[in-house]
PDB file of all heavy atoms in Angstrom:
ATOM      1  N   GLN B   3      -5.675  31.623  12.410  1.00  0.00           N
ATOM      2  CA  GLN B   3      -7.091  31.495  12.066  1.00  0.00           C
ATOM      3  C   GLN B   3      -7.718  30.225  12.622  1.00  0.00           C
ATOM      4  O   GLN B   3      -8.940  30.128  12.696  1.00  0.00           O
ATOM      5  CB  GLN B   3      -7.255  31.509  10.550  1.00  0.00           C
ATOM      6  CG  GLN B   3      -6.812  32.808   9.896  1.00  0.00           C
ATOM      7  CD  GLN B   3      -7.131  32.809   8.418  1.00  0.00           C
ATOM      8  OE1 GLN B   3      -8.289  32.840   8.016  1.00  0.00           O
ATOM      9  NE2 GLN B   3      -6.102  32.761   7.618  1.00  0.00           N
ATOM     10  N   VAL B   4      -6.878  29.250  12.954  1.00  0.00           N
ATOM     11  CA  VAL B   4      -7.360  28.013  13.574  1.00  0.00           C
ATOM     12  C   VAL B   4      -6.589  27.845  14.873  1.00  0.00           C
ATOM     13  O   VAL B   4      -5.359  27.821  14.864  1.00  0.00           O
ATOM     14  CB  VAL B   4      -7.136  26.796  12.654  1.00  0.00           C
ATOM     15  CG1 VAL B   4      -7.562  25.510  13.344  1.00  0.00           C
ATOM     16  CG2 VAL B   4      -7.887  26.982  11.338  1.00  0.00           C
ATOM     17  N   LYS B   5      -7.321  27.746  15.973  1.00  0.00           N
ATOM     18  CA  LYS B   5      -6.675  27.750  17.279  1.00  0.00           C
ATOM     19  C   LYS B   5      -7.015  26.493  18.070  1.00  0.00           C
ATOM     20  O   LYS B   5      -8.180  26.111  18.169  1.00  0.00           O
ATOM     21  CB  LYS B   5      -7.113  28.964  18.086  1.00  0.00           C
ATOM     22  CG  LYS B   5      -6.785  30.295  17.442  1.00  0.00           C
ATOM     23  CD  LYS B   5      -7.326  31.454  18.249  1.00  0.00           C
ATOM     24  CE  LYS B   5      -7.115  32.763  17.522  1.00  0.00           C
ATOM     25  NZ  LYS B   5      -7.669  33.915  18.257  1.00  0.00           N
ATOM     26  N   ASN B   7      -6.363  25.702  21.782  1.00  0.00           N
ATOM     27  CA  ASN B   7      -5.873  26.421  22.954  1.00  0.00           C
ATOM     28  C   ASN B   7      -5.283  25.520  24.025  1.00  0.00           C
ATOM     29  O   ASN B   7      -4.609  26.014  24.937  1.00  0.00           O
ATOM     30  CB  ASN B   7      -6.995  27.276  23.543  1.00  0.00           C
ATOM     31  CG  ASN B   7      -7.354  28.434  22.617  1.00  0.00           C
ATOM     32  OD1 ASN B   7      -6.482  29.067  22.039  1.00  0.00           O
ATOM     33  ND2 ASN B   7      -8.641  28.679  22.459  1.00  0.00           N
ATOM     34  N   ASN B  22     -10.496  20.230  21.464  1.00  0.00           N
ATOM     35  CA  ASN B  22     -11.242  21.383  20.998  1.00  0.00           C
ATOM     36  C   ASN B  22     -10.465  22.208  19.981  1.00  0.00           C
ATOM     37  O   ASN B  22      -9.227  22.225  19.987  1.00  0.00           O
ATOM     38  CB  ASN B  22     -11.627  22.277  22.174  1.00  0.00           C
ATOM     39  CG  ASN B  22     -12.609  21.612  23.093  1.00  0.00           C
ATOM     40  OD1 ASN B  22     -13.691  21.207  22.670  1.00  0.00           O
ATOM     41  ND2 ASN B  22     -12.245  21.480  24.360  1.00  0.00           N
ATOM     42  N   CYS B  23     -11.224  22.918  19.146  1.00  0.00           N
ATOM     43  CA  CYS B  23     -10.631  23.724  18.095  1.00  0.00           C
ATOM     44  C   CYS B  23     -11.564  24.908  17.811  1.00  0.00           C
ATOM     45  O   CYS B  23     -12.786  24.716  17.722  1.00  0.00           O
ATOM     46  CB  CYS B  23     -10.449  22.856  16.847  1.00  0.00           C
ATOM     47  SG  CYS B  23      -9.783  23.695  15.410  1.00  0.00           S
ATOM     48  N   ASP B  24     -11.012  26.087  17.691  1.00  0.00           N
ATOM     49  CA  ASP B  24     -11.787  27.282  17.357  1.00  0.00           C
ATOM     50  C   ASP B  24     -11.219  27.897  16.081  1.00  0.00           C
ATOM     51  O   ASP B  24     -10.018  27.800  15.822  1.00  0.00           O
ATOM     52  CB  ASP B  24     -11.714  28.310  18.489  1.00  0.00           C
ATOM     53  CG  ASP B  24     -12.328  27.795  19.761  1.00  0.00           C
ATOM     54  OD1 ASP B  24     -13.554  27.612  19.785  1.00  0.00           O
ATOM     55  OD2 ASP B  24     -11.575  27.545  20.728  1.00  0.00           O
ATOM     56  N   TYR B  25     -12.071  28.528  15.309  1.00  0.00           N
ATOM     57  CA  TYR B  25     -11.595  29.185  14.099  1.00  0.00           C
ATOM     58  C   TYR B  25     -12.214  30.569  13.990  1.00  0.00           C
ATOM     59  O   TYR B  25     -13.241  30.857  14.601  1.00  0.00           O
ATOM     60  CB  TYR B  25     -11.894  28.335  12.851  1.00  0.00           C
ATOM     61  CG  TYR B  25     -13.363  28.076  12.585  1.00  0.00           C
ATOM     62  CD1 TYR B  25     -14.090  28.863  11.699  1.00  0.00           C
ATOM     63  CD2 TYR B  25     -14.014  27.011  13.204  1.00  0.00           C
ATOM     64  CE1 TYR B  25     -15.424  28.610  11.435  1.00  0.00           C
ATOM     65  CE2 TYR B  25     -15.355  26.752  12.951  1.00  0.00           C
ATOM     66  CZ  TYR B  25     -16.059  27.548  12.075  1.00  0.00           C
ATOM     67  OH  TYR B  25     -17.383  27.309  11.825  1.00  0.00           O
ATOM     68  N   THR B  26     -11.554  31.410  13.231  1.00  0.00           N
ATOM     69  CA  THR B  26     -12.028  32.793  13.132  1.00  0.00           C
ATOM     70  C   THR B  26     -12.554  33.133  11.738  1.00  0.00           C
ATOM     71  O   THR B  26     -13.335  34.081  11.597  1.00  0.00           O
ATOM     72  CB  THR B  26     -10.887  33.768  13.481  1.00  0.00           C
ATOM     73  OG1 THR B  26      -9.775  33.524  12.602  1.00  0.00           O
ATOM     74  CG2 THR B  26     -10.429  33.576  14.919  1.00  0.00           C
ATOM     75  N   ALA B  70     -20.720  29.288  16.859  1.00  0.00           N
ATOM     76  CA  ALA B  70     -19.634  29.566  17.809  1.00  0.00           C
ATOM     77  C   ALA B  70     -18.266  29.440  17.157  1.00  0.00           C
ATOM     78  O   ALA B  70     -17.237  29.703  17.801  1.00  0.00           O
ATOM     79  CB  ALA B  70     -19.714  28.605  18.998  1.00  0.00           C
ATOM     80  N   LYS B  71     -18.231  29.021  15.889  1.00  0.00           N
ATOM     81  CA  LYS B  71     -16.968  28.764  15.184  1.00  0.00           C
ATOM     82  C   LYS B  71     -16.090  27.831  16.016  1.00  0.00           C
ATOM     83  O   LYS B  71     -14.913  28.120  16.301  1.00  0.00           O
ATOM     84  CB  LYS B  71     -16.234  30.064  14.864  1.00  0.00           C
ATOM     85  CG  LYS B  71     -16.945  30.972  13.866  1.00  0.00           C
ATOM     86  CD  LYS B  71     -16.021  32.085  13.400  1.00  0.00           C
ATOM     87  CE  LYS B  71     -16.684  32.965  12.362  1.00  0.00           C
ATOM     88  NZ  LYS B  71     -17.761  33.800  12.927  1.00  0.00           N
ATOM     89  N   HIS B  72     -16.678  26.720  16.377  1.00  0.00           N
ATOM     90  CA  HIS B  72     -16.003  25.780  17.268  1.00  0.00           C
ATOM     91  C   HIS B  72     -16.263  24.357  16.804  1.00  0.00           C
ATOM     92  O   HIS B  72     -17.378  24.011  16.392  1.00  0.00           O
ATOM     93  CB  HIS B  72     -16.536  25.960  18.695  1.00  0.00           C
ATOM     94  CG  HIS B  72     -15.980  24.979  19.679  1.00  0.00           C
ATOM     95  ND1 HIS B  72     -14.761  25.168  20.309  1.00  0.00           N
ATOM     96  CD2 HIS B  72     -16.460  23.797  20.129  1.00  0.00           C
ATOM     97  CE1 HIS B  72     -14.531  24.136  21.107  1.00  0.00           C
ATOM     98  NE2 HIS B  72     -15.540  23.295  21.022  1.00  0.00           N
ATOM     99  N   LEU B  73     -15.218  23.541  16.867  1.00  0.00           N
ATOM    100  CA  LEU B  73     -15.424  22.120  16.638  1.00  0.00           C
ATOM    101  C   LEU B  73     -14.655  21.314  17.666  1.00  0.00           C
ATOM    102  O   LEU B  73     -13.724  21.834  18.308  1.00  0.00           O
ATOM    103  CB  LEU B  73     -15.045  21.697  15.212  1.00  0.00           C
ATOM    104  CG  LEU B  73     -13.623  21.789  14.713  1.00  0.00           C
ATOM    105  CD1 LEU B  73     -13.405  20.780  13.593  1.00  0.00           C
ATOM    106  CD2 LEU B  73     -13.339  23.178  14.168  1.00  0.00           C
TER     107      LEU B  73
END
Side-chain angles (χ1 to χ4, degrees):
Chain B
Q3 297 186 68
V4 176
K5 300 176 186 178
N7 291 319
N22 293 303
C23 178
D24 297 292
Y25 62 96
T26 57
K71 294 192 177 70
H72 176 84
L73 64 155

